[in-house]
Amino acid sequence: MTASTFASTPATTLLFAEADATPFSTDPATLKSWDRARAFLAAAPKVWLTTVRPDGRPHTAPVLLVWADGAPCFTSRPDSRKSVNLAGNTHCVISASDDDLDLVVEGVAARVGDDTGIRRVADAFKDKYDWEFTVRSGTVTGDPRPGSPEYAFHRITPARAFGYGADGLTATRWRFDGR
């Protein structure tokens, strides 16, 4: 699945059907648009990233998120728990919330390795957070000084996402992988 798949419109369905005996709405009029969810995610000041440790336990941490090449991207140090976990198991979850929407996105993360992609992610961090990275031959550092910490950029490709309304009664599922 490519990053451009994430930018396209996913299949949008109610999370529950009338036969499910659930307190959630089964009215198709309550479906949330992916455009709204995508804009919310792109504007979120931070999100929560959950990765899987080598022993199977979850690890959750806040990360700064930018939108680049049609997908959400984040940065972490290459030796951080997040990066180490993703090197062994690319499955992850990002989640964010505001007064109107709780959003959960399940997917896989891949390290951005090409110079062009790295520069686009670095530009997105500069635009959104005014955080300037130095990029040289595939290496990303936090500033131009010698000894500056190295960073890695990761791009998330989703499999599915879930949006819950503030009313506690509405839920939407978006499927990117057709399942």
Side-chain angles (χ1 to χ4, degrees):
M1 188 173 300
T2 66
S4 62
T5 302
F6 194 44
S8 64
T9 304
T12 304
T13 60
L14 288 166
L15 189 54
F16 299 101
E18 287 183 42
D20 287 331
T22 176
F24 283 94
S25 173
T26 57
D27 180 357
T30 66
L31 286 172
K32 292 156 188 51
S33 80
W34 177 247
D35 287 342
R36 158 74 171 99
R38 185 179 186 270
F40 165 69
L41 195 57
K46 70 178 175 186
V47 300
W48 293 94
L49 171 72
T50 302
T51 58
V52 182
R53 295 174 191 262
D55 65 5
R57 292 180 301 132
H59 173 265
T60 302
V63 295
L64 301 178
L65 190 85
V66 297
W67 208 268
D69 294 332
C73 302
F74 66 93
T75 188
S76 68
R77 303 281 303 275
D79 58 351
S80 71
R81 173 52 44 204
K82 298 178 288 291
S83 291
V84 170
N85 289 350
L86 290 170
N89 184 337
T90 60
H91 291 92
C92 64
V93 173
I94 52 175
S95 56
S97 184
D98 71 6
D99 291 341
D100 298 318
L101 181 64
D102 297 320
L103 184 64
V104 177
V105 179
E106 300 174 354
V108 295
R111 189 164 172 172
V112 179
D114 64 290
D115 279 351
T116 303
I118 289 171
R119 289 187 191 285
R120 283 196 289 265
V121 176
D123 289 345
F125 269 98
K126 174 73 171 142
D127 291 346
K128 183 173 180 181
Y129 297 106
D130 200 27
W131 187 3
E132 195 159 348
F133 290 95
T134 301
V135 180
R136 284 191 200 96
S137 303
T139 300
V140 179
T141 57
D143 62 51
R145 294 176 295 191
S148 176
E150 184 178 341
Y151 289 89
F153 293 145
H154 298 270
R155 177 179 296 117
I156 298 172
T157 301
R160 64 199 55 78
F162 305 90
Y164 302 92
D167 59 10
L169 301 174
T170 56
T172 302
R173 173 179 41 218
W174 299 278
R175 295 182 226 186
F176 297 86
D177 61 4
R179 292 185 269 157

